[in-house]
């Protein structure tokens, strides 16, 4: 590889002479981002072009006519084409930026700091209110449905009760699927993989759009109320990120909702920080776990972290906790209908004695091993099921709705039918609560049993998921659930959790995993009751921890979330032990569930580590040409031609004689800045280098700020006369004069780590030897993707390539 000679760069004028037939690709989303296409069985890379590296020679698959996506692969695997772009966290240090920075006064710096903390305060307030509203709505809608069914069963109208129960579920599920399929397909699923990819630098269509937020909130309420085995916790993370993105748009010029203070946030860096705060706020609102929310954002979601961001996320989650505490206290007076205990899965196991001995540790190690095996199997089966669902989802919205309705009917039949297999149990004499429970949630559901008896399986199935978890975690209830009931419930929840995720409804995986884990934890606790003194409720908690560790592979954040949920700090060593064991076991089978879904959806996620095969390549090996560059003073027609025939977002600026004594790299200009400059029509008749002062007077730094959720300026929006096309424009004032560069002989592994650590969109490759053009090419996210590298070097070990490519 050391003798590799870089591909020659080619000037734009040569491209003009050759014509644009080799670049006959539709312009992408106005921003010229990348494009991934995936089929029903795997995420097949066809194109991701995000640079100025001039991929002019396009292979046949790339020339297929692109269609606007109707399903969005961001939400559901197996979708039509969807444009994906990179985010750019680099500071563009051009003359405009430097002038703005020098002229910024203390008042403006104060405004920026005040707005930064005001926005995170608003994120905390709104996320907390939305989280409470979600729970309030679910508890009341699901509560009314269960009350109606229970009343009919008390009158022994069992068939009518089933049709009422199943009919309510079907209506709610159909409504959730309809708004998701037709309004915002990106709202389906949990949303955590999408948020994780966004914070890694991947900006895909409608991930955080206002329509996605709307459907995420109401679709989640309808889906959970419909009795599906899914949670609202994952969607709350996505909801918090959407709220943060909406607040961080810098206002809206279209609706006249903007002010000078908001303009500071019209960049990817500040939006990334706000969305990280929103992600943490979502976890805090879902579990009432503020510290767990901060750690979740740090461990699982964010790719870039710093101490200042830690303070802001902590402040945001603290605001969420205060808001939820106040609203729940208000509801304790009975003013919130069937809100019950709040619907926020909060359990208090602090009254249990958490002393443990050596036999207890053996039982806990066994739980960790079981959780690792079940977690690895869950991820494997989920991967297969999602690939099957992708074939159905590709057929359009009606097919999605039909699939959702089918799963709803199956879920209703299991929830209503399986409790009939359980025997009626006499109410315990020393029951702490009313037995049987009538007219509200509780441990002792009457179902079809005579007075004075309860159905243990119905206590799990005929409750909301949050109440079912409370029942499993309850202490002092060693004999409440029969072993057969627990086995039936575990099998049903495990299977229903698998088939439910992937339908066109906002759905989280936390609740199915906690339910299944708590069930087999209680089974193990009951079986080992003769050798262990721990309460089955504690075993249920440890079982939930082991399954969470086995599926999601998170340790620190899950540990703290569970401790905040249960208010039992004495369990810390046991939870840590079971999480470490389950994660270690499951890592031998596959990757975490969110990492798998990121890969499955074709999101170009960059891991924190470089793959081993990258150490055998250098940066110059993967850059491809011809490279399109601009002169520091370029003809308007040349720029417009380049923007029209390519989708590149970055173009190197190279000064040649007579503008410079020898060819030199001035910097990098990006597409959006070029469009703003062209729209201003500050053109010159002669090709002469200017001081740029008239451009600095005409434009300010914020004129080039990134637009909000709108499409932004596109080349198709601009019109020029023939005379203007022959004029010149000075690019020096808008060129980033200090772009990050690497020498062509740097190892690709080192370049990949640098690229991800700095959050770059473009990394310029410069020659190692003199007397050559000043730039070899540009590295973008596309160039680090395993499929691209393997396409350039097929001789790489296929087995090694496959095993590493699944890593993201």
């Amino acid at each position: 590889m050391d003798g590799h000679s870089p591909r020659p760069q080619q000037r734009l004028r040569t491209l003009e002479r050759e014509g644009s037939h080799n670049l006959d690709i539709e312009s992408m989303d106005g921003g010229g981002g990348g494009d991934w296409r995936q089929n029903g069985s795997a995420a097949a890379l066809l194109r991701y072009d995000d640079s100025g590296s001039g991929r002019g020679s396009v292979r046949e698959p790339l020339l297929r006519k692109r269609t606007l996506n109707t399903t969005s692969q961001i939400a559901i695997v197996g979708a039509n084409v969807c444009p994906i772009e990179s985010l750019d966290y680099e500071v563009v240090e051009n003359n405009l930026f430097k002038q703005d920075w020098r002229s910024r006064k203390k008042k403006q710096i104060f405004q920026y700091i005040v707005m930064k903390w005001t926005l995170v305060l608003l994120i905390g307030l709104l996320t907390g209110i939305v989280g409470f509203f979600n729970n309030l709505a679910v508890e009341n809608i699901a509560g009314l449905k269960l009350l109606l069914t229970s009343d009919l069963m008390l009158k022994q109208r069992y068939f009518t009760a089933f049709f009422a129960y199943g009919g309510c579920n079907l209506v709610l599920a159909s409504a959730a699927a309809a708004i998701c399929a037709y309004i915002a397909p990106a709202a389906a699923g949990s949303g955590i993989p999408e948020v994780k990819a966004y914070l890694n630098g991947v900006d895909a269509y409608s991930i955080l759009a206002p329509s996605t937020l709307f459907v995420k909130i109401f679709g989640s309420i309808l889906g959970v109320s419909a009795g599906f085995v899914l949670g609202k916790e994952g969607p709350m993370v996505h909801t918090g990120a959407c709220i943060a993105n909406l607040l961080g748009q810098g206002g809206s010029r279209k609706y006249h909702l903007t002010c000078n203070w908001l303009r500071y946030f019209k960049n990817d860096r500040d939006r990334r920080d706000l969305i990280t705060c929103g992600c943490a706020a979502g976890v805090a609102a879902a579990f009432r776990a503020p510290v767990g929310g901060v750690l979740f954002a740090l461990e699982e979601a964010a790719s870039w972290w710093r101490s200042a961001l830690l303070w802001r996320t902590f402040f945001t989650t603290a605001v969420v906790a205060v808001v939820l505490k106040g609203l729940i206290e208000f509801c304790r007076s009975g003013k919130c209908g069937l809100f019950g205990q709040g619907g926020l899965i909060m359990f208090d196991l602090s009254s249990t004695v958490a002393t443990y001995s050596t036999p207890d540790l053996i039982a806990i190690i066994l739980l960790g091993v079981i959780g690792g095996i079940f977690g690895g199997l869950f991820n494997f089966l989920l991967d297969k099921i999602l690939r099957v669902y992708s074939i159905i989802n590709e057929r359009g919205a009606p097919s999605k709705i039909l699939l959702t309705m089918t799963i709803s009917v199956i879920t209703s039949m299991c929830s209503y039918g399986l409790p009939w297999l359980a025997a009626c149990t006499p109410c315990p004499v020393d029951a702490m609560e009313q037995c049987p429970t009538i007219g509200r949630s509780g441990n002792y559901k009457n179902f079809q049993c005579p007075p004075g008896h309860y159905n243990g399986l119905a206590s799990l199935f005929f409750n909301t998921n949050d109440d079912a978890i409370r029942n499993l975690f309850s202490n002092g209830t060693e004999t409440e659930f029969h072993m057969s009931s627990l086995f039936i419930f575990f099998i049903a929840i495990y299977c229903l959790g698998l088939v439910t995720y992937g339908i066109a409804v906002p759905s989280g995986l936390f609740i199915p995993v906690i339910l299944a884990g708590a069930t087999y934890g209680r089974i193990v606790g009951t079986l080992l009751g003769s050798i262990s003194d721990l309460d089955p409720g504690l075993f249920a908690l440890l079982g939930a921890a082991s399954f969470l560790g086995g599926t999601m592979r998170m340790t620190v954040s899950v540990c703290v979330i569970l401790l905040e949920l249960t208010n039992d700090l004495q369990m810390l060593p046991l939870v840590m032990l079971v999480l470490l064991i389950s994660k270690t076991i499951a890592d031998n089978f596959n990757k975490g569930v969110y990492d798998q879904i990121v890969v499955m959806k074709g999101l170009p996620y960059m891991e924190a580590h470089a793959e081993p095969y990258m150490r055998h390549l250098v940066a110059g090996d993967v850059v491809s040409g011809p490279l399109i560059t601009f002169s520091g003073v370029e003809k308007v027609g040349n720029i417009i031609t380049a923007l029209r025939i390519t989708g590149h977002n970055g173009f190197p600026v190279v000064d040649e004689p007579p503008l410079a004594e020898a060819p030199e790299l001035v910097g990098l200009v990006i597409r959006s800045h070029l469009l703003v400059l062209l729209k201003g029509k500050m053109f010159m008749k002669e090709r002469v280098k200017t001081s740029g002062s008239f451009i600095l007077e005409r434009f300010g730094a914020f004129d080039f700020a990134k637009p909000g959720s709108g499409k932004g300026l596109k080349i198709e929006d601009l019109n020029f006369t023939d005379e203007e096309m022959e004029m010149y424009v000075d690019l020096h004032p808008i060129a980033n004069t200090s772009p990050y560069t690497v020498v062509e002989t740097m190892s690709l592994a080192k370049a990949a780590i640098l690229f991800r650590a700095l959050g770059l969109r473009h990394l310029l490759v410069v020659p190692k030897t003199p007397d050559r053009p000043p730039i070899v090419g540009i590295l973008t996210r596309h160039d680090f993707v395993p499929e691209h590298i393997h396409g350039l070097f097929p001789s790489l070990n296929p087995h090694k390539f496959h095993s590493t490519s699944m890593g993201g």
Side-chain angles (χ1 to χ4, degrees):
M1 299 296 180
D2 293 336
H4 170 80
S5 60
R7 298 165 180 82
Q9 72 165 329
Q10 185 171 351
R11 294 285 294 149
L12 173 64
R13 295 166 186 81
T14 309
L15 277 177
E16 280 188 284
R17 289 196 300 271
E18 291 180 353
S20 60
H21 60 278
N22 282 339
L23 292 162
D24 187 19
I25 302 167
E26 290 182 358
S27 179
M28 305 174 199
D29 198 32
D35 179 358
W36 296 75
R37 181 194 299 263
Q38 62 187 80
N39 55 30
S41 60
L45 171 70
L46 289 188
R47 182 166 188 245
Y48 181 83
D49 188 2
D50 198 29
S51 76
S53 55
R55 291 167 180 79
S57 177
V58 185
R59 291 190 296 273
E60 180 61 28
L62 310 189
L63 296 176
R64 294 176 184 169
K65 182 77 171 177
R66 300 194 319 119
T67 56
L68 290 176
N69 76 306
T70 55
T71 57
S72 177
Q73 92 280 18
I74 303 311
I76 303 171
V77 180
N80 296 336
V81 173
C82 171
I84 297 178
E85 297 189 10
S86 287
L87 299 170
D88 195 354
Y89 302 138
E90 182 182 2
V91 177
V92 179
E93 292 186 347
N94 54 28
N95 293 347
L96 285 162
F97 170 83
K98 293 173 184 175
Q99 183 189 49
D100 175 69
W101 190 255
R102 285 192 293 265
S103 63
R104 193 169 289 186
K105 300 175 183 176
K106 288 185 178 180
K107 175 186 174 184
Q108 293 170 312
I109 297 172
F110 176 75
Q111 287 177 348
Y112 172 68
I113 295 171
V114 168
M115 279 305 300
K116 192 158 39 175
W117 286 96
T118 302
L119 286 176
V120 295
L121 172 65
L122 289 174
I123 290 168
L125 286 171
L126 292 175
T127 307
I129 291 169
V130 169
F132 175 77
F133 171 72
N134 277 11
N135 285 282
L136 181 66
V138 167
E139 292 287 307
N140 279 281
I141 295 172
L144 288 172
K145 175 190 71 179
L146 293 170
L147 275 178
L148 172 64
T149 310
S150 298
D151 290 343
L152 291 170
M153 294 194 73
L154 287 173
K155 299 174 184 176
Q156 298 188 349
R157 298 169 60 185
Y158 299 126
F159 283 105
T160 308
F162 170 70
F163 285 116
Y165 177 73
C168 289
N169 285 346
L170 192 61
V171 170
L172 292 168
S174 302
I179 63 172
C180 187
Y182 286 108
I183 299 176
S190 72
I192 292 177
E194 290 82 1
V195 173
K196 183 175 179 177
Y198 185 94
L199 293 176
N200 187 259
V202 180
D203 186 11
Y205 179 74
S206 73
I207 284 181
L208 302 172
S211 58
T212 304
L213 173 62
F214 171 81
V215 174
K216 206 76 185 183
I217 295 172
F218 293 98
S220 179
I221 291 171
L222 293 169
V224 176
S225 301
F228 283 121
V229 181
L230 51 82
K232 52 191 176 296
E233 283 66 26
M236 269 308 301
V237 175
H238 197 176
T239 299
C242 288
I243 290 171
N245 181 65
L246 196 61
L247 290 172
Q249 292 294 311
S252 170
R253 292 181 182 176
K254 180 179 178 181
Y255 298 107
H256 306 289
L257 299 173
T258 187
C259 68
N260 287 334
W261 287 33
L262 289 170
R263 63 183 181 174
Y264 300 115
F265 297 90
K266 286 182 174 288
N267 63 78
D268 288 334
R269 295 182 305 283
D270 285 306
R271 285 182 194 167
R272 172 195 64 190
D273 291 350
L274 290 175
I275 288 165
T276 304
C277 293
C279 175
V283 176
F287 294 105
R288 285 175 67 189
V291 179
V294 175
L295 292 174
F296 178 87
L298 171 61
E299 181 181 8
E300 182 64 16
S303 293
W304 296 278
W305 197 267
R306 61 183 189 279
S307 58
L309 188 57
L310 179 68
W311 276 101
R312 267 180 275 159
T313 51
F314 188 70
F315 173 72
T316 310
T317 56
V319 172
V320 173
V322 171
V323 169
L324 289 176
K325 180 75 173 174
L327 291 173
I328 290 172
E329 287 298 325
F330 172 77
C331 282
R332 291 242 165 100
S333 59
K335 298 177 181 177
C336 299
L338 300 172
F339 190 65
Q341 297 186 38
L344 297 151
I345 48 176
M346 193 72 177
F347 331 99
D348 192 351
L349 299 180
S350 57
S351 59
T352 57
V353 181
T355 55
Y356 39 87
S357 58
T358 302
D360 297 328
L361 291 176
I362 294 173
I364 289 160
I365 290 171
L366 176 64
L367 262 184
V369 173
I370 294 172
I373 295 171
F374 277 147
L377 179 63
F378 187 90
N379 291 2
F380 172 79
L381 294 175
L382 186 65
D383 182 88
K384 301 300 180 186
I385 290 170
L386 287 177
R387 295 185 190 281
V388 174
Y389 280 3
S390 70
I391 301 170
I392 301 171
N393 292 328
E394 280 183 332
R395 295 178 179 174
S399 297
K400 293 182 188 179
I401 297 171
L402 187 61
L403 174 63
T404 304
M405 293 171 69
T406 304
I407 300 299
S408 175
V409 171
I410 293 172
T411 304
S412 297
M413 291 173 67
C414 290
S415 301
Y416 189 87
L418 290 176
W420 292 87
L421 302 175
C424 293
T425 306
C427 287
V429 180
D430 57 345
M432 300 289 291
E433 57 180 88
Q434 176 189 354
C435 179
T437 305
I438 297 175
R440 62 180 180 85
S441 61
N443 278 36
Y444 305 104
K445 285 289 182 181
N446 179 258
F447 206 64
Q448 89 291 7
C449 294
H453 293 69
Y454 71 95
N455 186 318
L457 197 52
S459 301
L460 300 175
F461 272 119
F462 243 63
N463 266 321
T464 61
N465 292 331
D466 290 353
D467 287 328
I469 294 173
R470 280 195 186 87
N471 294 345
L472 288 168
F473 278 24
S474 59
N475 53 14
T477 54
E478 292 85 350
T479 59
E480 179 184 340
F481 300 105
H482 289 294
M483 189 64 68
S484 58
S485 297
L486 292 173
F487 270 111
I488 292 171
F489 186 71
F490 170 71
I491 294 169
I493 290 298
Y494 194 92
C495 295
L496 288 173
L498 283 168
V499 299
T500 304
Y501 192 87
I503 60 175
V505 171
S507 54
L509 283 170
F510 273 101
I511 293 299
V513 168
I514 291 175
L515 271 173
T519 306
Y520 73 68
R522 198 171 251 275
I523 291 172
V524 172
T526 306
L527 289 174
L528 300 180
S530 58
I531 65 168
S532 174
D533 296 328
L534 292 179
D535 189 277
L538 294 180
F539 269 105
L541 169 68
L542 294 170
S546 71
F547 202 13
L548 283 168
T551 53
M552 299 177 184
R553 315 294 160 85
M554 293 181 287
T555 52
V556 179
S557 54
V558 166
C559 181
V560 173
I561 287 171
L562 289 174
L563 291 178
E564 288 186 278
L565 281 177
T566 56
N567 193 26
D568 192 359
L569 194 60
Q570 293 181 357
M571 293 295 292
L572 177 62
L574 300 183
V575 175
M576 290 173 66
L577 178 63
V578 80
L579 278 169
L580 288 170
I581 293 173
S582 62
K583 181 185 185 303
T584 304
I585 295 292
D587 278 340
N588 293 310
F589 299 111
N590 44 40
K591 297 184 72 67
V593 63
Y594 296 132
D595 293 320
Q596 281 190 185
I597 294 170
V598 164
V599 173
M600 211 181 304
K601 293 181 176 181
L603 298 171
Y605 186 87
M606 290 191 69
E607 298 286 354
H609 60 275
E611 301 294 356
Y613 62 83
M614 289 185 177
R615 303 198 179 279
H616 302 289
L617 301 172
V618 294
D621 289 331
V622 296
V623 294
S624 48
L627 181 66
I628 300 178
T629 64
F630 291 137
S631 172
V633 181
E634 187 60 83
K635 184 184 284 188
V636 174
N638 290 342
I639 299 174
I640 293 169
T641 302
L643 295 179
R644 282 178 177 165
I645 67 174
T646 71
H648 306 331
N649 270 286
F651 299 90
V653 178
V654 176
D655 271 350
E656 297 175 347
L659 296 178
E661 293 182 2
E664 66 176 31
L665 178 63
V666 175
L668 185 79
V669 291
I670 60 177
R671 171 181 287 261
S672 60
H673 290 188
L674 283 170
L675 291 172
V676 173
L677 187 63
L678 291 173
K679 186 180 180 182
K681 297 192 175 183
M682 303 293 287
F683 304 148
M684 306 175 296
K685 291 186 177 180
E686 302 295 330
R687 187 169 182 260
V688 292
K689 187 175 180 179
T690 67
S691 63
S693 57
F694 67 99
I695 291 180
L696 296 177
E697 291 170 4
R698 167 69 173 78
F699 294 102
F702 292 109
D703 292 322
F704 296 88
K706 185 173 181 177
S709 56
K711 297 291 184 182
L713 197 59
K714 295 189 287 188
I715 186 63
E716 292 80 9
D717 300 330
L718 305 180
N719 295 307
F720 302 95
T721 64
D722 292 338
E723 182 182 359
E724 288 172 335
M725 295 283 276
E726 294 299 320
M727 297 178 75
Y728 295 89
V729 61
D730 191 353
L731 301 182
H732 290 95
I734 66 166
N736 180 6
T737 54
S738 55
Y740 286 98
T741 61
V742 296
V743 70
E744 60 184 336
T745 53
M746 177 184 280
S747 75
L748 192 62
K750 199 172 180 180
I753 293 171
L754 179 69
F755 190 92
R756 184 190 189 273
L758 295 173
L760 302 180
R761 186 173 191 173
H762 306 104
L763 183 60
L764 276 59
V765 181
V766 297
K768 185 176 179 64
T769 55
D771 301 325
R772 290 171 56 194
I775 181 167
V776 174
I778 297 180
L779 289 173
T780 64
R781 187 175 290 265
H782 163 85
D783 297 303
F784 298 105
V785 171
E787 288 85 349
H788 169 68
I789 297 171
H790 189 58
L792 293 175
F793 302 98
S795 58
L796 285 172
N797 186 327
H799 177 71
K800 182 187 292 186
F801 166 76
H802 178 73
S803 64
T804 54
S805 69
M806 291 306 289

